[in-house]
Amino acid sequence: LVISQNRHRHPKQLWSTRGEGEPIQMVVLEEDRAEAEFVAEEILKHARTNVEGQTTQLRPWKDFAVLYRSNPQSRVFEEALRMRKIPYKLVGALSFLDRKEVKDLFSYFRVVANLKDDASLRRILNWPARGLGRTVLEAVSAHGQAHHVPVFEALEPIAAVTPRAAPALRQFMTLIHELRADLEKTPAEAAALSSWGKRVLERIGAREALVVEHSDDPKQAVKKLENLEEFVNALGQLDIADLQEEVGTEPLTAPAMLREFLSRMLLQAQAETDDKKKDAEKNDQDQVTLLTLHGSKGLEYPLVFLVGLEDGLLPHRRTIEEAQDFSEERRLFYVGMTRAKDRLYLTRARTRI
């Protein structure tokens, strides 16, 4: 019924010798984090049982796969699995926090939160490209070390003695100060903080920079921008009540929320690194698989979760906006469905931040 709607398809009749099997389960969750938590809990339910404190492994982790349309969707599933100490592997992609563009935006957030973060500032001083090369970077670093001041405080003195670099250095300083001022005025709400993050993307010119950097591969630019948008969406998923407990009696502010978000992201990144080291030491291949529908062709898993079945994800928003033929979206959906050997879950969220 799915693939038969495609044009230019040679008619064929497919069947299975394994019988009807389990009914497909369609599950609708309130929002994307709930979707990820549902998937993680279902994996636990089918993989393990706990009776009187005794845990028994019912299925190997490698029996499970989570399939999605595009790589940015992996973030919330990585978080949900990691929280439950479920081993997983990403196929054909870097872990979300390891992607260069995400690290760049993360560094912007860190500098806005703390002007003394020299490592982050050095990373973004010339991203997007603003004509500040290695010589300028070395000069500001040397000035900071010589005068025992943060690199940010060294920018103006260097601008004063390097006329060619001065406009770009001062524009960068102004940008950071304006982003900090905007953050100070932002209400202490998750949605408001996410909106601030979107404004950061616009102010730094991330879209334009990615288009220029990937002029030979526009689709790659779109993918990287989607990664940045997903990272910004994470700001909107902060739990206000949980954050208030962290800060205690102090009033909750947007800058405090951003600092807590950055701290949690750093802990997650460290946890990922530690998990990878442990897996490498064990040579452990018994892991849940996370991969895109494009990367899943030819593979099969006993239990499959096909997630994000919403307009804008599957079918992808580019296909909808450009009013293209939906044949490729149907084909991918069909590929995902037929990766399941025993049980298939189809999930979507009513709202997605």
Side-chain angles (χ1 to χ4, degrees):
L1 292 177
V2 175
I3 201 71
S4 63
Q5 301 298 317
N6 278 6
R7 304 171 186 172
H8 313 302
R9 177 180 176 270
H10 296 293
K12 62 179 77 171
Q13 186 69 36
L14 304 178
W15 69 92
S16 171
T17 59
R18 303 185 70 199
E20 290 189 4
E22 294 286 336
I24 295 173
Q25 293 193 45
M26 178 70 195
V27 184
V28 181
L29 289 308
E30 283 302 318
E31 41 89 25
D32 49 354
R33 188 173 295 276
E35 180 186 34
E37 290 176 352
F38 167 80
V39 169
E41 287 296 330
E42 283 296 300
I43 290 174
L44 273 179
K45 184 176 78 175
H46 289 289
R48 285 181 172 176
T49 183
N50 192 305
V51 179
E52 297 180 355
Q54 186 68 36
T55 300
T56 303
Q57 194 80 21
L58 303 176
R59 280 181 176 272
W61 300 115
K62 64 184 178 182
D63 277 5
F64 303 89
V66 181
L67 309 182
Y68 37 79
R69 177 66 171 82
S70 57
N71 281 316
Q73 292 173 255
S74 73
R75 181 186 61 82
V76 288
F77 295 97
E78 290 182 64
E79 288 181 10
L81 295 175
R82 197 181 311 114
M83 288 272 294
R84 293 160 178 80
K85 299 189 183 302
I86 298 174
Y88 70 90
K89 63 180 178 181
L90 279 165
V91 176
L94 289 171
S95 177
F96 190 79
L97 295 174
D98 284 339
R99 295 163 191 170
K100 177 189 177 299
E101 63 278 9
V102 174
K103 286 183 175 181
D104 290 337
L105 183 57
F106 187 71
S107 294
Y108 264 100
F109 287 173
R110 291 190 67 180
V111 171
V112 169
N114 177 16
L115 292 179
K116 296 180 180 179
D117 190 333
D118 290 350
S120 294
L121 189 142
R122 282 192 288 265
R123 182 181 183 98
I124 63 171
L125 187 57
N126 198 42
W127 190 86
R130 47 179 64 90
L132 300 174
R134 182 180 296 276
T135 301
V136 174
L137 182 57
E138 290 175 349
V140 294
S141 296
H143 184 94
Q145 290 176 356
H147 295 81
H148 307 289
V149 297
V151 171
F152 191 84
E153 292 184 23
L155 297 180
E156 178 55 41
I158 295 302
V161 296
T162 51
R164 289 182 62 184
L169 286 170
R170 290 181 175 134
Q171 286 171 9
F172 177 78
M173 287 186 284
T174 299
L175 171 65
I176 298 300
H177 284 307
E178 290 176 350
L179 294 178
R180 284 169 61 84
D182 189 5
L183 181 64
E184 290 285 349
K185 295 184 293 184
T186 298
E189 302 167 358
L193 190 61
S194 182
S195 294
W196 173 82
K198 292 173 183 175
R199 293 196 294 275
V200 172
L201 283 182
E202 293 176 6
R203 290 298 313 280
I204 67 176
R207 181 190 299 272
E208 295 79 4
L210 292 172
V211 168
V212 171
E213 290 172 11
H214 301 280
S215 58
D216 58 336
D217 188 357
K219 288 185 177 179
Q220 188 68 8
V222 171
K223 289 178 181 178
K224 289 181 177 292
L225 182 61
E226 288 175 349
N227 287 338
L228 293 180
E229 290 171 344
E230 178 61 23
F231 188 58
V232 168
N233 289 344
L235 290 169
Q237 295 174 334
L238 286 168
D239 187 323
I240 299 298
D242 184 36
L243 289 175
Q244 189 63 68
E245 287 185 13
E246 292 285 343
V247 300
T249 57
E250 296 179 18
L252 189 61
T253 64
M257 290 174 64
L258 179 63
R259 287 192 293 271
E260 183 61 25
F261 171 80
L262 296 173
S263 176
R264 293 182 182 188
M265 289 293 106
L266 283 173
L267 288 173
Q268 284 186 25
Q270 186 58 54
E272 282 186 18
T273 300
D274 293 343
D275 289 345
K276 287 175 184 177
K277 287 180 180 177
K278 289 177 183 176
D279 290 340
E281 290 168 1
K282 295 179 190 174
N283 193 24
D284 188 1
Q285 297 302 309
D286 187 20
Q287 301 166 310
V288 174
T289 301
L290 304 182
L291 76 167
T292 63
L293 291 166
H294 281 103
S296 69
K297 192 171 182 181
L299 304 173
E300 288 186 330
Y301 303 89
L303 283 87
V304 168
F305 296 85
L306 182 46
V307 302
L309 301 182
E310 307 147 36
D311 286 351
L313 293 178
L314 184 63
H316 196 276
R317 68 181 181 185
R318 288 198 304 272
T319 303
I320 297 172
E321 290 169 358
E322 296 170 11
Q324 294 180 353
D325 182 10
F326 281 74
S327 296
E328 174 66 5
E329 304 300 310
R330 290 196 196 96
R331 186 189 70 79
L332 287 172
F333 182 48
Y334 178 75
V335 166
M337 292 179 67
T338 53
R339 298 314 90 199
K341 295 168 67 176
D342 299 331
R343 188 183 291 264
L344 173 64
Y345 289 83
L346 306 178
T347 70
R348 67 180 178 88
R350 286 194 176 94
T351 60
R352 197 168 290 268
I353 295 174

